[in-house]
Amino acid sequence: MTFARRPLLAGNWKMNGLRAALSQIDLAAAGLGATLREKIDVLICPPATLLASASPIAVRAGIALGGQDCHTQASGAHTGDISAQMLADAGASFVILGHSERRADHGESDALVRAKALAALAAGLIPIVCVGETREQREAGEAEEIVAGQIAGSIPPGVAAERLVLAYEPVWAIGAGLTPTPQDVARMHRVARERLGVLLEPGAAAGVRILYGGSVKPSNARELMSVADVDGALVGGASLLASDFLGIAAAWR
């Protein structure tokens, strides 16, 4: 039986937001309306410092919460880190893993991302595993090979479709105001789903939600979200203001 791919709109606040920013969750919830709520799932991933404070707001608003990273261990002498169990205890149900900024800034390997995904699954969280090629890799004709390799190395084999989200984010598009063509997005998402078909149980890959991320904004959301095999968006800067986030959500109206 295939898990239904209900669209997911996920906002990654990155290292932005103080307590005053939590009002944006209420504003986003107020603007969604009943029609959109019937069509899509909405997720906000604020900094870890805001998770516990955001939890009652998100519950009231009917919006899910996620973390932006987690450690591979449940606890221990890891100063400054946060475990998947801690995220869950603070109110998270998802966690972003392997984002290109983590891979680049912290040298995270596919093997480490996979270990973190296993930790997230053990804590009851749904990992959003991020993959994507750099500009140099795309220009060298290596985009499909790079993404397929990241998927193979980063995702635990056999995970159930409903317990996994994959996000394709071309590194060169993130925060740059650039986006690949819809045809390029369709091709990369098709490659991603084919690779998932090798890793997961028969038929499971068809149920995994694959998000597109990389300079998604209200002006291009409708076109991108209509592409085959695109099951939602992982949004960075445009998720910080409810007005922009709602402009992207309008793609499903």
Side-chain angles (χ1 to χ4, degrees), residues 27 41 96 108 167 182 191 207 218 233:
L27 290 172
D41 294 330
I96 298 169
E108 295 195 357
V191 167

Side-chain angles (χ1 to χ4, degrees), residues 144-198:
E144 295 183 13
E145 177 184 354
I146 292 297
V147 167
Q150 288 176 335
I151 291 171
S154 302
I155 293 177
V159 61
E162 64 270 23
R163 300 299 303 161
L164 172 68
V165 176
L166 183 68
Y168 167 62
E169 294 194 302
V171 178
W172 50 271
I174 298 172
L178 303 172
T179 54
T181 67
Q183 293 76 19
D184 284 338
V185 172
R187 182 166 61 254
M188 296 305 295
H189 277 238
R190 183 173 64 251
V191 167
R193 201 170 299 282
E194 289 171 354
R195 185 66 229 185
L196 287 171
V198 177

